[in-house]
Amino acid sequence: MQTLLSPSSVAPAMDHKLLIQLCQVVKVYKTAAGDFTALKGITADLYAGEFVGVIGKSGAGKSTLLNMITGADMITSGEVIFNPSDGKSISIHKLSENSLAVWRGQNVGIIHQSFQLLPMLNLVENIMLPVDFSGHYQRRVSKEHAIDLLKLVEMEDHTYKLPAYISGGQKQRVAIARSLVNDPPIIVADEPTGSLDTMTAETIFEIFEMLIEQGRTIIMVTHDNNLAPRFTRRLHIADGTIITDSGFHPAPDQEQR
């Protein structure tokens, strides 16, 4: 596997810097049958360089938690605080809609189980989309960066193919490359290996582990308990609450708040 991320995006893994704070996060959905509380006061500190597995059964609140972390859905109460490298903490749900979209584009890469590649665009064009949306598109530079990312996930031989002409595992590699195009410090992945065969899923995990070694922080949702040993941190969720939080925790004198 090649290492082609820009030097500015590579940092020592597990540097113990507090990156995301979840503070009594509650999410209530209004339904025809009444209110449904999907998250019931979730509190956790997530650190730079962690590979966090959010593990639980279907309906436990895993994907809802990802939506709170990315700001993709409104919070009912509590706070999600992002602590960037410049030290200026941000309560993301207090941002305006436009500011939140800008924040998300600069700081979060998102990977879905269903890939969500646009079928009418070739692979390199799909990867460049987030750059275009963030207003940073430069034809030559953006395309070169996108091709470098295809090399990173070993898909450069398929650069100009349409998504219909590659396999599911290859589509997920492209989705990973797309999530990296704006050099975000955080990658969130919602069941990214759920529809893949075992061998292909292993390849995707190897890519994730390489990204962790380069200083990325990955938060991945899965219902598969067998994957738990692969994560450096495990949040087990049931009925909207964290029932166990295991793995890496810095000593008090290592925490940087």
Side-chain angles (χ1 to χ4, degrees):
M1 192 69 63
Q2 302 178 55
T3 304
L4 293 170
L5 297 184
S6 62
S8 62
S9 68
V10 178
M14 299 297 281
D15 65 4
H16 301 167
K17 181 186 182 300
L18 181 60
L19 187 63
I20 301 169
Q21 294 170 274
L22 305 170
C23 307
Q24 289 296 316
V25 173
V26 174
K27 177 60 181 178
V28 179
Y29 291 105
K30 304 289 184 182
T31 72
D35 290 352
F36 171 71
T37 305
L39 297 178
K40 304 172 182 177
I42 296 285
T43 295
D45 290 343
L46 307 180
Y47 294 83
E50 288 192 297
F51 189 3
V52 182
V54 182
I55 303 167
K57 296 180 180 179
S58 178
K62 307 184 303 297
S63 295
T64 301
L65 181 59
L66 280 196
N67 288 340
M68 298 299 102
I69 291 172
T70 63
D73 199 358
M74 296 298 294
I75 201 168
T76 301
S77 65
E79 275 191 297
V80 177
I81 299 171
F82 173 63
N83 298 282
S85 56
D86 64 8
K88 298 177 181 178
S89 298
I90 301 167
S91 182
I92 67 170
H93 291 275
K94 293 181 180 178
L95 296 172
S96 67
E97 186 174 342
N98 287 341
S99 295
L100 180 58
V102 171
W103 173 84
R104 189 186 301 116
Q106 294 175 341
N107 294 287
V108 183
I110 301 175
I111 303 167
H112 303 275
Q113 180 178 353
S114 57
F115 321 126
Q116 296 195 359
L117 302 177
L118 294 185
M120 72 291 295
L121 300 181
N122 64 37
L123 303 189
V124 72
E125 289 169 339
N126 265 284
I127 291 175
M128 289 190 293
L129 273 179
V131 182
D132 196 8
F133 291 153
S134 67
H136 296 143
Y137 180 78
Q138 296 176 311
R139 183 175 179 84
R140 185 181 63 80
V141 176
S142 297
K143 186 174 182 179
E144 288 177 356
H145 183 43
I147 292 173
D148 280 348
L149 289 170
L150 282 171
K151 291 178 182 177
L152 178 72
V153 297
E154 298 181 349
M155 286 293 293
E156 68 272 27
D157 291 343
H158 307 278
T159 297
Y160 298 105
K161 287 184 179 179
L162 295 174
Y165 295 97
I166 62 174
S167 70
Q170 290 172 323
K171 289 176 184 176
Q172 195 60 288
R173 290 187 187 212
V174 176
I176 292 170
R178 182 184 56 192
S179 76
L180 296 170
V181 72
N182 283 331
D183 285 342
I186 304 164
I187 305 294
V188 298
D190 196 351
E191 298 278 6
T193 60
S195 61
L196 305 178
D197 62 80
T198 302
M199 185 175 296
T200 305
E202 176 65 24
T203 299
I204 298 303
F205 258 96
E206 289 174 358
I207 294 173
F208 284 161
E209 288 166 349
M210 175 191 64
L211 294 172
I212 290 294
E213 290 176 0
Q214 294 179 346
R216 304 281 178 172
T217 302
I218 300 178
I219 305 168
M220 174 178 159
V221 156
T222 182
H223 65 274
D224 189 351
N225 283 320
N226 293 326
L227 296 178
R230 303 295 294 268
F231 302 113
T232 63
R233 175 87 171 275
R234 294 164 291 280
L235 302 179
H236 287 258
I237 294 183
D239 298 322
T241 62
I242 296 175
I243 55 174
T244 61
D245 179 354
S246 57
F248 168 76
H249 288 279
D253 62 345
Q254 292 177 309
E255 294 187 20
Q256 299 179 27
R257 295 179 181 269

